[in-house]
Amino acid sequence: MNMNGNRKRTCKMFARVKERMNGMKKKKLMSLLLVSAMVCSMAAGCGGGKEASGSQETKGEAKEETKEASGNETKEASGEQEEKVLTMMNYIDPANTDDPMQSVVIKLYEKFTEETGIKIEYNVVPWDQLESKIVITNRAGAPSDLVAVSSQKLASLVNSGALMPLDDMIDESYKRDDFSNAVWAAGTYSGDNKVYCMLQSVHTRGIWYNTDYVKEAPKTWDEIVSAGQKAMSENEGIYGFGFWGGKHYASGETAIGPLTWAGGGKLTNDDGSAAWDNDAAADAIKFMSDCVNEYKITPETCLSVSDYNDVTQQFAAGNIAMIFDGSYAKPTLEASDLGKEGKFDFAPVPAKTEGGPQPHFSNGWAWGIPSKSKQPELAWEFIKWFSQKEQQLAHSKAEGGLPITIEAQQDEMYQEGLEKKFIDNLNNNAHSMDPFVYYQEGLEELAVAGATYCLDPSSDLKAVLKESQEAFNQKYYAE
C-alpha cells in the first residue's frame, strides 16, 4: 500500500475543498499582501545604514532559522517525519476491556497506527450523548478530527453546521457503485443531497429467540404471543418476550417504529413534524402494552429499562425466550453460555398479520468529519483505510453489523448461517427512520407517550398520542 501517494492525493483533494470554502478570502489576502509589500519597501528606503547592514539580533535569528532548516532537511533525508496524531470522538472506549466487541475494535484501530504511523487520540463519549458533544465542540472551534455519528441523527447534525460534506473526497477515492445503497441512503442529507457521513457498518434488526424455548421463529404478532405463552408454560421462571419499551428514544427505533410501519403507519410528515396520532401507531403501542399487562409474556421492567443491554443480557442469561434486537447483539450473545451452546437464532420482525410486511429500522454507526476539523485529511485517511475489505470484515464480525462494500458482502463469510440471514433481512425488510429533524426530541416524545399508556392501560391511548403530537409540533413547528 502506497500510503505516501495516498496522502499526497488526499492533500491535493483537501486543498481544492479549502479553496472552495475560502475563495472569498483570497482576494482580501492578496490586497493585504500588496499593502504589506509597499510598507516593507518604504521601511527599507527610510532605514539607516546600520539597519541595512543588519543588527546582531537579526543575524542571530537568521543563523537559528538556517540551523532549523538544516535540521528539517536532515530529518527528511533520513526519512524521519513529524508525528501525526488523529483525534477521534467515539463511544468505543480503550479502557473497557470487559466488552469483547470494543476490545476487538480497539485492536483494529491500533492496526491503523501500525500500518500508517498515524496515532489515535481518543475522546470517549457515551453513545447517546455523541450528537450534542459533536455540536458543542464544533461550535467552540475545538472538535475532534474524526467523529462517530449515529446515522439517523444526520439531519440534526447538518442543520447545526457540525459536519462537512464528503462528496469531493468520495468521488476522488471511490466508485459509488462499489458500496451498498444503504451507505448513500444513510449518509445523504435530503436538504442538499450531499453526503455527510460514511457508514462503518450496516445494522439489521429482528427477533432473536432461544431455540431451547422456541422451536420455530414467530411470523406474526399473534405467534409472538402464543410462542411466548408456550415457552413460559414449559419453563418455570422465564418470560416469553422482551423489548425496549421505556422512555428512551431508542424505544421508538426498535419497537414502536417497526410495529407502526408494519401496520402501514408513519411517525412524521415529510418536514419532520409529528404524525404519530394514527391507528397504526396506536395498535403498535397497544400490542406492547398487552404483552405486559394482558398476555403477561413481557416483564414490566421492559417499560422502564434505561440501558438496552439490560434486555440483551436477560436474553443471554436464559431469562427471556425472545427479544427484539439487532445484528449487533451477536458478539454479546456468542460470548454468553447460551451462545457457546449454540442455542439462539435470528429471524425478521414478525408481521402484524400473516403475509404482511416485516419492516425493521436499519441504520449504523458512521464516520463524520466536523466542519471545523483541524486535520480533515487525516480523518479521511482513516475513513479510506477503514472501508477496505479486510477492515470491513474484521469490524463487522466484531461489531455485529454488516459490511458496507459489495466486495465484502460477497465474501464467503456472508453466504451461510446468521450472516446470510442478516444480509437477506437487510435486503428484504430494511426501513429507514422517518425524517425527524429534531430526532432525539421527537422519538423521546413518542416514547414517553407509549410508556405512559403501557404503564396505565386504562388511559385513552388516542388522546395520549394526540396530546403528545400537538405538544411536539407546537414546540418545534409553530408558525
Side-chain angles (χ1 to χ4, degrees):
M1 180 183 296
N2 185 356
M3 296 308 296
N4 288 330
N6 286 340
R7 288 173 191 162
K8 289 178 180 178
R9 288 193 294 272
T10 302
C11 289
K12 290 179 181 178
M13 179 169 39
F14 274 91
R16 291 198 297 272
V17 174
K18 290 178 180 179
E19 183 177 354
R20 292 180 183 178
M21 295 173 68
N22 299 323
M24 293 300 293
K25 297 180 181 178
K26 286 190 174 181
K27 293 181 180 179
K28 294 180 180 180
L29 178 60
M30 290 301 296
S31 298
L32 290 172
L33 288 172
L34 286 171
V35 172
S36 298
M38 291 172 66
V39 172
C40 289
S41 296
M42 293 170 65
C46 296
K50 290 183 179 180
E51 290 296 327
S53 64
S55 66
Q56 290 299 317
E57 183 179 353
T58 303
K59 288 179 181 178
E61 290 174 354
K63 287 181 180 179
E64 288 299 319
E65 289 175 3
T66 302
K67 183 178 179 181
E68 184 178 345
S70 176
N72 288 336
E73 288 174 3
T74 302
K75 281 186 177 182
E76 291 177 4
S78 65
E80 185 179 347
Q81 295 182 351
E82 184 180 351
E83 180 178 270
K84 294 183 178 181
V85 179
L86 171 72
T87 57
M88 175 193 291
M89 182 182 292
N90 205 337
Y91 71 97
I92 299 292
D93 186 355
N96 188 3
T97 56
D98 293 334
D99 188 319
M101 181 275 286
Q102 294 201 27
S103 297
V104 173
V105 172
I106 286 295
K107 288 180 181 178
L108 184 62
Y109 295 166
E110 291 171 349
K111 181 186 172 190
F112 170 75
T113 299
E114 293 171 4
E115 294 186 2
T116 66
I118 301 172
K119 295 185 177 180
I120 300 176
E121 181 180 297
Y122 300 97
N123 182 5
V124 180
V125 176
W127 68 269
D128 54 356
Q129 297 175 29
L130 274 166
E131 179 190 10
S132 60
K133 193 71 170 180
I134 291 169
V135 172
I136 292 169
T137 55
N138 193 69
R139 284 179 179 169
S144 297
D145 299 317
L146 178 69
V147 292
V149 175
S150 189
S151 63
Q152 65 270 31
K153 296 183 179 180
L154 181 65
S156 177
L157 287 167
V158 174
N159 284 334
S160 71
L163 300 177
M164 67 167 58
L166 307 178
D167 298 84
D168 286 347
M169 290 83 85
I170 290 168
D171 293 333
E172 178 81 14
S173 305
Y174 302 122
K175 293 179 180 178
R176 297 200 184 201
D177 289 345
D178 291 340
F179 290 81
S180 166
N181 288 334
V183 174
W184 312 125
T188 302
Y189 173 56
S190 59
D192 59 12
N193 289 320
K194 292 181 180 180
V195 178
Y196 287 86
C197 67
M198 289 283 288
L199 286 178
Q200 301 175 21
S201 64
V202 188
H203 294 159
T204 186
R205 292 175 173 83
I207 189 165
W208 290 92
Y209 60 101
N210 184 319
T211 54
D212 262 359
Y213 301 152
V214 178
K215 302 305 181 185
E216 185 176 348
K219 296 181 176 62
T220 65
W221 294 5
D222 286 344
E223 289 182 11
I224 291 177
V225 175
S226 59
Q229 290 174 331
K230 185 173 187 295
M232 291 176 66
S233 67
E234 295 174 348
N235 301 275
E236 185 177 355
I238 71 162
Y239 280 96
F241 177 52
F243 53 82
W244 194 351
K247 298 179 181 181
H248 194 283
Y249 71 86
S251 172
E253 296 175 333
T254 59
I256 301 176
L259 294 174
T260 297
W261 301 329
K266 63 181 182 179
L267 305 182
T268 74
N269 296 307
D270 291 342
D271 64 354
S273 59
W276 54 69
D277 179 16
N278 60 70
D279 290 342
D283 289 347
I285 293 171
K286 187 175 188 309
F287 175 72
M288 294 164 62
S289 173
D290 287 347
C291 286
V292 175
N293 299 303
E294 181 176 346
Y295 309 129
K296 301 190 183 302
I297 60 172
T298 299
E300 189 171 320
T301 52
C302 283
L303 303 178
S304 58
V305 64
S306 59
D307 187 342
Y308 192 76
N309 288 324
D310 291 346
V311 179
T312 308
Q313 292 294 346
Q314 288 300 310
F315 175 76
N319 297 328
I320 304 179
M322 302 172 287
I323 60 169
F324 279 167
D325 210 337
S327 53
Y328 44 79
K330 181 173 176 280
T332 298
L333 298 180
E334 286 180 328
S336 68
D337 290 340
L338 184 72
K340 292 173 183 177
E341 295 171 3
K343 295 181 177 180
F344 65 86
D345 207 344
F346 177 88
V349 172
K352 185 175 184 178
T353 57
E354 187 174 356
Q358 298 175 273
H360 69 272
F361 170 49
S362 177
N363 72 324
W365 285 104
W367 296 119
I369 303 178
S371 60
K372 296 181 181 179
S373 171
K374 303 273 191 310
Q375 302 184 104
E377 69 282 354
L378 287 190
W380 186 248
E381 194 92 7
F382 180 90
I383 292 173
K384 288 194 300 181
W385 177 86
F386 196 84
S387 300
Q388 295 170 3
K389 180 181 178 181
E390 185 177 353
Q391 279 70 255
Q392 278 293 295
L393 292 177
H395 177 263
S396 297
K397 182 177 180 180
E399 195 247 9
L402 304 173
I404 62 174
T405 64
I406 302 299
E407 179 187 21
Q409 286 188 2
Q410 292 175 344
D411 188 83
E412 62 181 5
M413 169 180 172
Y414 291 95
Q415 306 312 308
E416 60 183 9
L418 284 172
E419 284 72 20
K420 186 176 189 309
K421 291 181 179 182
F422 294 157
I423 291 286
D424 290 345
N425 190 42
L426 178 71
N427 292 335
N428 296 328
N429 302 308
H431 192 295
S432 58
M433 180 51 69
D434 293 342
F436 282 97
V437 174
Y438 301 96
Y439 187 89
Q440 185 166 332
E441 296 86 347
L443 282 176
E444 282 183 349
E445 184 76 37
L446 174 60
V448 168
T452 297
Y453 175 77
C454 290
L455 291 169
D456 181 14
S458 64
S459 59
D460 185 339
L461 177 55
K462 287 292 288 182
V464 170
L465 288 176
K466 182 179 180 181
E467 181 181 349
S468 172
Q469 176 175 300
E470 290 178 348
F472 178 80
N473 289 340
Q474 179 64 34
K475 183 174 182 179
Y476 295 101
Y477 288 88
E479 296 182 357

